[in-house]
């Protein structure tokens, strides 16, 4: 039963990371279109990422896996932005 709960936890982690990537790409596209993004949006995105990192750590996901996810998410965000720009 515990393996099933870990699997669900990893799926939720993937969905949360995907959502942050989509929001990040949206912020970058908005900046490209309008030319400026509000300070709160620029501060809110990293704060949300830090809070998600904190919650995933509290849920019992290993620190190594959290850093791997973070690095992959940043690389994927850059790749998506460059590919669609």
């Amino acid at each position: 039963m515990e393996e099933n709960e870990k699997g669900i936890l990893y799926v939720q982690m993937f969905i949360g990371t995907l959502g942050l990537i989509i929001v990040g790409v949206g912020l970058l596209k908005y900046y490209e279109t309008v030319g400026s993004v509000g300070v709160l949006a620029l501060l809110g995105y990293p704060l949300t990422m830090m809070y998600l990192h904190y919650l995933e750590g509290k849920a019992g996901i290993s620190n190594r896996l959290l850093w791997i996810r973070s690095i992959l998410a940043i690389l994927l965000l850059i790749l998506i932005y460059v590919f669609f720009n």
Side-chain angles (χ1 to χ4, degrees):
M1 179 96 173
E2 189 167 314
E3 275 186 37
N4 191 19
E5 290 176 7
K6 282 286 190 185
I8 292 171
L9 188 63
Y10 292 140
V11 169
Q12 290 174 345
M13 185 177 83
F14 172 76
I15 291 171
T17 303
L18 186 62
L20 280 176
I21 290 171
I22 292 170
V23 169
V25 170
L27 278 173
L28 291 173
K29 288 294 184 180
Y30 182 79
Y31 177 74
E32 182 181 291
T33 304
V34 176
S36 67
V37 177
V39 175
L40 291 177
L42 292 177
L43 288 175
Y45 186 73
L47 289 174
T48 304
M49 288 181 65
M50 290 184 334
Y51 184 65
L52 185 63
H53 186 82
Y54 168 76
L55 288 177
E56 290 171 346
K58 283 289 199 182
I61 297 175
S62 70
N63 203 19
R64 186 177 133 220
L65 185 60
L66 289 175
W67 280 105
I68 290 171
R69 182 210 40 98
S70 298
I71 291 169
L72 288 176
I74 291 169
L75 291 176
L76 187 59
L77 177 65
I78 292 169
L79 181 70
I80 288 172
Y81 179 72
V82 169
F83 183 71
F84 287 111
N85 192 3

